[in-house]
Amino acid sequence: MKNFKISILALSLFATIGIANAGGVGYIDYAKVIDNYAYAKQVTKEIDAKGLEMQQYLVDKEKEYKSLDTPLKKQSFEERTSAEFKTKEAAYVALKEKREQEVYTKIKEAAKAVMVEQKLDAIMDQRGVFVGGIDITDSVINKLKGLK
């Protein structure tokens, strides 16, 4: 019986310590972080510039196409332009994915650092939190501003 009481006491002590150390769940507004993160803005501008560059390429090629006089030249031009555009499009998609992944990784690293500092158990996107949790958006933004 004595061992039973000691084990109950130990379990209740461990449960109390566990509750005291539990930090809860934090959440971030990812869109707000993106809007306030200079590197993310820079990446967005870079991606947009590449997109505009591709649009200008198409406009230029359309003008060039209209100046061709024979159907054979037009067909050859279409095939060549299509191949060139597919190459440019693939490079654009690869660049966009790479840069977006870089931004996501940096935000995730900052969120992990805040999670450790505030002794939280997990971090979620705010859209996944219905009630409760701790908003750490501003802490993540501040952490990112300190990163360079």
Side-chain angles (χ1 to χ4, degrees):
M1 188 66 156
K2 187 176 182 183
N3 287 338
F4 179 73
K5 287 181 183 177
I6 291 174
S7 62
I8 294 293
L9 179 63
L11 283 174
S12 63
L13 180 63
F14 287 130
T16 305
I17 290 171
I19 291 170
N21 287 334
V25 175
Y27 62 88
I28 64 170
D29 180 348
Y30 192 79
K32 182 178 176 183
V33 173
I34 292 289
D35 290 343
N36 289 284
Y37 184 27
Y39 182 70
K41 289 179 185 179
Q42 174 189 337
V43 165
T44 301
K45 285 180 184 178
E46 179 184 357
I47 291 169
D48 289 347
K50 287 290 184 185
L52 290 173
E53 185 180 302
M54 288 179 56
Q55 288 177 351
Q56 187 60 47
Y57 171 82
L58 289 175
V59 168
D60 293 344
K61 290 299 180 178
E62 185 177 340
K63 289 177 185 175
E64 196 176 326
Y65 178 80
K66 288 179 181 179
S67 70
L68 298 174
D69 54 355
T70 66
L72 185 59
K73 285 181 181 178
K74 286 184 177 188
Q75 182 181 4
S76 174
F77 179 82
E78 285 176 358
E79 291 170 359
R80 187 175 64 250
T81 302
S82 176
E84 289 174 6
F85 185 74
K86 284 182 182 177
T87 302
K88 287 182 176 289
E89 185 177 38
Y92 170 77
V93 169
L95 172 71
K96 184 177 184 210
E97 288 175 358
K98 179 183 176 196
R99 293 290 190 248
E100 287 175 349
Q101 185 61 44
E102 289 172 357
V103 169
Y104 176 78
T105 300
K106 289 178 185 253
I107 292 172
K108 187 175 177 181
E109 289 171 359
K112 281 182 182 179
V114 171
M115 181 179 80
V116 170
E117 288 171 4
Q118 294 190 13
K119 297 178 180 155
L120 299 171
D121 297 323
I123 307 249
M124 299 176 62
D125 184 71
Q126 78 167 6
R127 294 172 292 180
V129 177
F130 188 67
V131 176
I134 301 166
D135 185 358
I136 63 163
T137 303
D138 292 332
S139 298
V140 172
I141 291 168
N142 292 334
K143 183 69 70 178
L144 288 166
K145 287 180 179 176
L147 282 180
K148 303 293 174 191

